[in-house]
Amino acid sequence: MLLKRLYFFLASLLLSFPQMAHAQAPMVYSATNPLAHTFSIVARDPATGDMAVAVQSHWFSVGTSVSWGEAGVGVVATQSFTNKSFGLRGLALLKSGKTAQQALDELLANDEGRDVRQVAILDAQGNVATHTGKKCVDEAGHVKGKQFSVQANMMLNNTVPAAMAKAYEQNAGLPLAERVLAALDAAQAAGGDIRGRQSAALLVVRGKATEGAWADRLIDLRVDDNDVPLKELRRLLSLHRAYEHMNAGDLAVEKNDVPGAIREYQAAEKMFPNNLEMKYWHAISLANKQQVPAAMALLRPIFKQEPNWRTLTERLPKVGLLTVSDAELKQILSVK
């Protein structure tokens, strides 16, 4: 029924724009430019320069359509009757030296579907530009603040953008990722998407690009299909934070800093005590610090739950990841 209503809406829209009814129709909706009625936020952390775009919608895999970003350049949210090209083209315009407003103006200038678009662009300097087309489905609107913008369409009521802006401003003490999620939570609490909820996404990029582009996308999380996507997105963010400790532990191992590795693995394990991976590497670090009995105590339930970890342990000495004696290795492997 929802698709039928959207198609009826699209048909009436095309009747309102006769010149679009043929050649220009794909600019409004096509397989590559999906519908994404939703609420989102683009924001920049003034302390770090990092930039974020976060979104929730009652539409499958919203993160593949709405959220775009590049370190040192900016972030883009393109929604409503989405023009996905606005993501890459918007970033390219920012990279060429355009401000957020100049980039948005250029994108909309030749877009026959501008009246059904909703777009927000934030550049690396914190400039924000937002557009809500006059034919976006009610309730629709946006609020621009200092180095952020919130935007929503097809909401249950018209209080969503204001609630998002308030939540974002009131949570200035949180890290950027958690802060933008607070805005999404506020949107949902205020009524959210009139159709319900299905997917969500969170993207955070560095304020300045580094020589290692692979490290410039700090967070990239998506929930494609879930009854409570924001709850799942928060769980994934927490898991991401825990694995930041795991990565730091791996780096410490690489530098032969066993105490540092233990500290980082233990921090990750405290966040997710039932995660076998985190427990396992904590145990291996203890063994490498000549704390074999403590390591064995951690490994016992791991080996019992999943025997493959025991097999993996046999392989670690060969590559230097387990530095115990042959007798200690035999003792570890005999754990029941």
Side-chain angles (χ1 to χ4, degrees):
M1 291 299 294
L2 171 61
L3 286 176
K4 287 183 179 179
R5 289 196 295 272
L6 289 172
Y7 289 144
F8 284 136
F9 171 77
L10 179 57
S12 65
L13 179 69
L14 293 176
L15 289 174
S16 301
F17 294 93
Q19 71 275 19
M20 295 170 56
H22 299 289
Q24 296 299 331
M27 290 297 293
V28 179
Y29 175 74
S30 72
T32 56
N33 291 313
L35 306 168
H37 302 284
T38 185
F39 53 83
S40 69
I41 178 171
V42 296
R44 178 180 183 271
D45 185 334
T48 65
D50 295 343
M51 298 169 287
V53 53
V55 57
Q56 180 183 273
S57 176
H58 189 281
W59 195 259
F60 175 69
S61 193
V62 70
T64 58
S65 302
V66 170
S67 47
W68 305 82
E70 184 176 344
V73 177
V75 290
V76 179
T78 171
Q79 56 197 51
S80 186
F81 281 80
T82 305
N83 187 331
K84 289 175 71 174
S85 78
F86 280 9
L88 291 177
R89 289 167 57 208
L91 293 173
L93 288 167
L94 294 181
K95 205 167 187 177
S96 74
K98 303 282 188 183
T99 66
Q101 190 63 57
Q102 290 170 335
L104 180 59
D105 290 344
E106 188 163 332
L107 290 174
L108 295 174
N110 299 313
D111 179 26
E112 294 290 347
R114 68 180 70 88
D115 285 346
V116 295
R117 310 289 189 213
Q118 190 169 50
V119 192
I121 301 179
L122 179 142
D123 62 36
Q125 290 70 46
N127 301 307
V128 180
T130 312
H131 165 79
T132 299
K134 62 184 180 182
K135 287 188 175 290
C136 287
V137 180
D138 287 339
E139 298 287 343
H142 63 263
V143 174
K144 288 199 294 184
K146 188 175 181 180
Q147 302 193 45
F148 79 91
S149 173
V150 296
Q151 42 284 327
N153 64 87
M154 204 182 275
M155 296 295 103
L156 182 61
N157 56 62
N158 64 4
T159 65
V160 170
M164 295 178 73
K166 182 179 179 180
Y168 182 76
E169 291 174 330
Q170 288 183 340
N171 285 282
L174 294 178
L176 181 60
E178 283 79 2
R179 192 178 179 190
V180 296
L181 287 192
L184 296 190
D185 285 337
Q188 185 60 44
D193 190 322
I194 196 169
R195 303 161 300 171
R197 48 196 170 174
Q198 183 173 2
S199 66
L202 170 64
L203 174 64
V204 181
V205 297
R206 292 188 189 277
K208 292 184 179 180
T210 68
E211 292 182 0
W214 53 86
D216 287 344
R217 186 165 285 211
L218 299 174
I219 301 173
D220 189 359
L221 301 174
R222 293 175 183 173
V223 178
D224 288 337
D225 184 31
N226 193 282
D227 291 339
V228 281
L230 287 182
K231 181 179 179 181
E232 176 63 7
L233 190 58
R234 279 195 172 277
R235 187 190 71 82
L236 292 178
L237 179 57
S238 294
L239 194 57
H240 173 87
R241 297 299 191 202
Y243 270 92
E244 286 181 325
H245 287 293
M246 293 294 291
N247 291 334
D250 291 347
L251 183 60
V253 169
E254 196 174 311
K255 295 179 177 180
N256 295 317
D257 177 12
V258 176
I262 292 174
R263 185 169 56 251
E264 294 294 346
Y265 291 145
Q266 197 167 31
E269 186 186 346
K270 284 181 179 178
M271 296 178 70
F272 284 86
N274 296 322
N275 186 298
L276 294 188
E277 178 98 23
M278 295 171 183
K279 284 184 178 181
Y280 179 79
W281 292 112
H282 179 199
I284 295 302
S285 294
L286 288 173
N288 286 337
K289 205 172 184 305
Q290 291 78 53
Q291 298 183 36
V292 173
M296 291 170 64
L298 286 176
L299 290 171
R300 183 172 288 109
I302 296 173
F303 289 172
K304 185 175 182 179
Q305 185 171 337
E306 179 48 71
N308 284 347
W309 289 106
R310 191 189 305 270
T311 304
L312 175 61
T313 305
E314 292 182 80
R315 301 175 181 178
L316 296 184
K318 180 180 178 181
V319 293
L321 290 179
L322 183 57
T323 57
V324 297
S325 68
D326 290 344
E328 288 172 326
L329 177 62
K330 187 175 181 180
Q331 188 180 10
I332 289 171
L333 295 175
S334 68
V335 166
K336 300 286 188 185

